[in-house]
């Protein structure tokens, strides 16, 4: 990810390069997905366990690329219920919110 600050899986995930038509794209993991991450961790601070979270964090770049390709092809953004990445291993858009003042779209992802 382009931002060099260290993120926890419970944080909002953004990258300076995740921009579509001058709108910043960012991601949050749903509570359901956070529970899955928590169960995979052996650390009491599971939300900072980079060994477990690294797989999920790596998928965010793929999710952004999927959203960007969809936008280039269809001129719109994916909606709630759409699966990003692929049908078997991707993440699903559970929710999305739009902040017009900050020109930011936040996608909440679930497994």
């Amino acid at each position: 990810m382009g931002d060099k600050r260290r993120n926890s899986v419970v944080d909002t995930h953004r990258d300076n390069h995740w921009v579509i038509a001058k709108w910043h794209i960012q991601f949050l993991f749903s509570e359901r997905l956070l529970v899955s991450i928590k169960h995979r961790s052996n650390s009491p601070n599971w939300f900072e366990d980079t060994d477990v979270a690294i797989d999920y964090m790596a998928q965010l770049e793929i999710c952004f690329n999927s959203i960007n390709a969809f936008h280039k092809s269809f001129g719109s953004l994916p909606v709630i219920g759409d699966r990003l990445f692929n049908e078997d291993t991707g993440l699903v858009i559970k929710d999305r919110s739009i902040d017009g003042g900050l020109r930011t779209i936040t996608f909440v992802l679930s497994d």
Side-chain angles (χ1 to χ4, degrees):
M1 293 175 47
D3 289 345
K4 298 302 180 202
R5 63 191 165 98
R6 192 170 186 184
N7 285 350
S8 166
V9 291
V10 297
D11 291 336
T12 301
H13 307 286
R14 55 183 305 143
D15 187 293
N16 292 332
H17 298 101
W18 294 346
V19 178
I20 297 174
K22 298 182 183 177
W23 284 78
H24 296 272
I25 305 298
Q26 59 186 22
F27 299 100
L28 281 171
F29 293 132
S30 69
E31 287 189 36
R32 176 181 170 172
L33 189 52
L34 290 173
V35 168
S36 295
I37 294 169
K38 180 179 180 179
H39 287 294
R40 289 185 54 195
S41 175
N42 293 322
S43 171
N45 293 335
W46 62 270
F47 47 88
E48 294 176 346
D49 186 347
T50 55
D51 292 335
V52 172
I54 198 162
D55 293 335
Y56 295 98
M57 303 292 273
Q59 286 189 34
L60 296 180
E61 186 71 31
I62 296 167
C63 289
F64 172 76
N65 290 337
S66 294
I67 291 170
N68 193 32
F70 187 92
H71 182 265
K72 285 181 179 179
S73 295
F74 302 106
S76 63
L77 295 173
V79 297
I80 295 169
D82 285 344
R83 184 173 294 276
L84 305 174
F85 185 50
N86 69 40
E87 289 299 317
D88 297 324
T89 61
L91 297 175
V92 174
I93 299 171
K94 181 178 179 181
D95 199 5
R96 76 176 188 181
S97 60
I98 299 167
D99 184 331
L102 295 176
R103 294 188 63 88
T104 301
I105 302 169
T106 303
F107 289 92
V108 179
L109 303 176
S110 189
D111 54 355

